[in-house]
Amino acid sequence: MSEIILVSAIWIAQGALALAMCLCTWRMVLGPRAQDRVLAMDALYVCAMLQLLAFGIRTGNTIFFEASLVIGVLGFVATVSLAKFLMRGEVIE
Amino acid sequence: MTIDLADVPIWAAIPAAAFLVIGAGLSLLGTLGLVRLQTFYDRIHAPTLATSWGAGGMVMASMIIFTAASARPVFHEILIGIFVTVTTPVTLMMLGRATLYRDRMENSPDLPKAARHVPEPEDEEKEEQNT
Amino acid sequence: MSAIIPYPLLAAGLVLMWLLLGGFTPGHLVLSIIVGVGCSHALAALGEKSLKVRRWLAIPRLFGIVLYDIVRSNIAVAGIILSGQRRTRSSGFITIPLKVRHPSALAILSIILTSTPGTAWLDYSSARGELLIHVFDLVDPEQWVELIGTRYERLLMEIFE
């Protein structure tokens, strides 16, 4: 019984997160300016992290949590460096 | 470490399922806001839904499930929660400042008077010395 | 104490994180203590000032207030996003004069303001002590200035200054 509840909840959660990732990608394509794309990419990284967390719960394997931490670190570094670039790189498009 | 979802007792499965659905649903709402809102400064609020209660709900659910299934406290997921809470302000602050800087450079009409560039006290002193 | 371990909080945090990720075994404990103490010495070599907390009692209270505010503003922002643009909503910038100067207190204030959906920290001028934030649902700017001043700033000053 509890397995049915959990599996269906995980399915709903993963579907919602997949849709969320699609919406982030949509905003990334849409723009309109560079900072909007970077913001969307940051949100995409967060959603990917949560998606991996959901995978970890579904398979019952904690190795996914380490992977999701790695994605979190990568997303953080990528967003910070891109924001820094927007501030001091080629600023005016 | 691996667990089997069938080992989770029913009293733990129901709150965990609720946390999962709420967490993922709030993340979805946040990204929906990212697509629907009109200006960048409005959109910068949207992902915080995913990073505050979205991540919090998923981490809570995973902690409940793993603790109940392995019959000992498991809380190393909380590292993910702490990590997200500490890093999101840094990224959003940097992005916000970069956008403000770019808008100020371009004299963007989106920017109201309150957010326009105000000279720092040191700048004013220099200007006074120049004149 | 400060000569052997310059930053006890940082070292303890690193040890705890290491043990959570690697599992609790005597070998990991020894290794994590070596890494924790080594890292705190490395930070001391950079010349950062150590963090001094004056009143520990105020920390759980601040934590509770922030958790409550996060839940409340999550619901508020989710409601606005769902209702779309039908309701008239004005978002805007506010400049807030801050009394608090301690760098750690400012860092924590920035985490609080950014984690609550609805407020975003944009710019802080240390020369004038003024903070520029963007508020998602701005009704009365005066109310926000007072809210941040009384709700967070006073507690942060109690903790750090």
Side-chain angles (χ1 to χ4, degrees):
Chain A
M1 182 62 195
S2 64
E3 200 183 358
I4 300 170
I5 297 174
L6 279 179
V7 167
S8 47
I10 293 169
W11 269 110
I12 296 171
Q14 286 198 307
L17 286 172
L19 192 61
M21 288 171 82
C22 292
L23 289 175
C24 291
T25 317
W26 178 237
R27 175 50 79 189
M28 217 154 95
V29 173
L30 216 62
R33 299 188 64 206
Q35 53 261 41
D36 294 296
R37 295 176 213 269
V38 177
L39 183 67
M41 191 201 71
D42 187 50
L44 183 62
Y45 264 111
V46 171
C47 289
M49 211 174 100
L50 296 182
Q51 185 76 273
L52 267 183
L53 206 61
F55 265 114
I57 297 172
R58 198 173 78 180
T59 53
N61 195 339
T62 46
I63 198 80
F64 279 101
F65 297 151
E66 268 94 73
S68 104
L69 262 179
V70 170
I71 290 203
V73 175
L74 280 179
F76 173 63
V77 174
T79 317
V80 166
S81 51
L82 277 171
K84 201 76 198 160
F85 174 75
L86 289 184
M87 205 132 150
R88 294 282 180 255
E90 292 289 320
V91 177
I92 313 293
E93 305 181 306
Chain B
M1 188 182 78
T2 51
I3 56 150
D4 193 356
L5 283 184
D7 296 340
V8 181
I10 188 105
W11 54 264
I14 292 172
F19 270 122
L20 266 174
V21 173
I22 291 172
L26 276 177
S27 312
L28 179 60
L29 264 182
T31 49
L32 191 69
L34 197 66
V35 171
R36 281 179 76 171
L37 293 172
Q38 294 303 314
T39 68
F40 175 82
Y41 295 105
D42 280 349
R43 284 197 282 266
I44 204 167
H45 298 288
T48 48
L49 278 178
T51 56
S52 59
W53 265 102
M58 300 287 289
V59 167
M60 280 298 287
S62 131
M63 266 159 59
I64 292 172
I65 290 172
F66 275 81
T67 301
S70 61
R72 66 188 180 87
V74 177
F75 46 98
H76 85 245
E77 298 89 340
I78 203 149
L79 279 182
I80 298 174
I82 294 173
F83 181 80
V84 171
T85 320
V86 174
T87 56
T88 315
V90 180
T91 54
L92 291 185
M93 220 160 84
M94 299 267 304
L95 259 181
R97 287 183 57 196
T99 311
L100 200 65
Y101 177 77
R102 291 171 65 126
D103 279 349
R104 278 173 179 168
M105 291 307 279
E106 292 172 4
N107 247 333
S108 159
D110 294 348
L111 226 52
K113 213 171 151 208
R116 299 253 173 207
H117 183 64
V118 192
E120 299 280 331
E122 305 101 74
D123 296 351
E124 282 168 18
E125 276 170 30
K126 272 181 214 154
E127 275 166 26
E128 277 166 23
Q129 282 167 1
N130 288 341
T131 48
Chain C
M1 186 67 184
S2 63
I4 310 164
I5 308 175
Y7 301 94
L9 269 180
L10 173 81
L14 279 172
V15 168
L16 198 69
M17 190 176 140
W18 189 287
L19 292 179
L20 278 176
L21 280 175
F24 187 84
T25 57
H28 271 308
L29 186 65
V30 172
L31 200 56
S32 66
I33 289 174
I34 293 172
V35 170
V37 173
C39 281
S40 57
H41 276 285
L43 192 64
L46 288 174
E48 277 297 312
K49 263 196 291 180
S50 183
L51 184 68
K52 281 202 178 54
V53 177
R54 257 197 5 180
R55 277 194 54 201
W56 290 92
L57 276 178
I59 294 177
R61 224 171 91 217
L62 182 68
F63 191 74
I65 289 178
V66 170
L67 211 61
Y68 172 73
D69 281 357
I70 288 179
V71 175
R72 213 188 43 183
S73 62
N74 256 296
I75 296 169
V77 172
I80 293 172
I81 290 174
L82 275 182
S83 70
Q85 301 292 327
R86 274 166 292 169
R87 200 165 70 83
T88 49
R89 173 187 61 85
S90 59
S91 58
F93 299 85
I94 335 173
T95 315
I96 293 175
L98 286 182
K99 287 193 289 292
V100 55
R101 285 289 187 280
H102 196 283
S104 312
L106 284 171
I108 291 181
L109 186 64
S110 79
I111 291 184
I112 294 171
L113 287 184
T114 317
S115 327
T116 42
T119 46
W121 171 297
L122 286 179
D123 197 17
Y124 174 69
S125 151
S126 54
R128 274 174 287 118
E130 275 179 2
L131 166 69
L132 181 72
I133 63 170
H134 185 263
V135 178
F136 192 55
D137 192 9
L138 185 64
V139 183
D140 180 14
E142 287 301 313
Q143 192 196 337
W144 277 97
V145 173
E146 202 191 308
L147 182 102
I148 288 168
T150 55
R151 210 172 162 83
Y152 306 127
E153 198 185 2
R154 200 193 295 151
L155 270 175
L156 282 170
M157 285 173 94
E158 262 181 44
I159 295 173
F160 286 108
E161 284 180 5

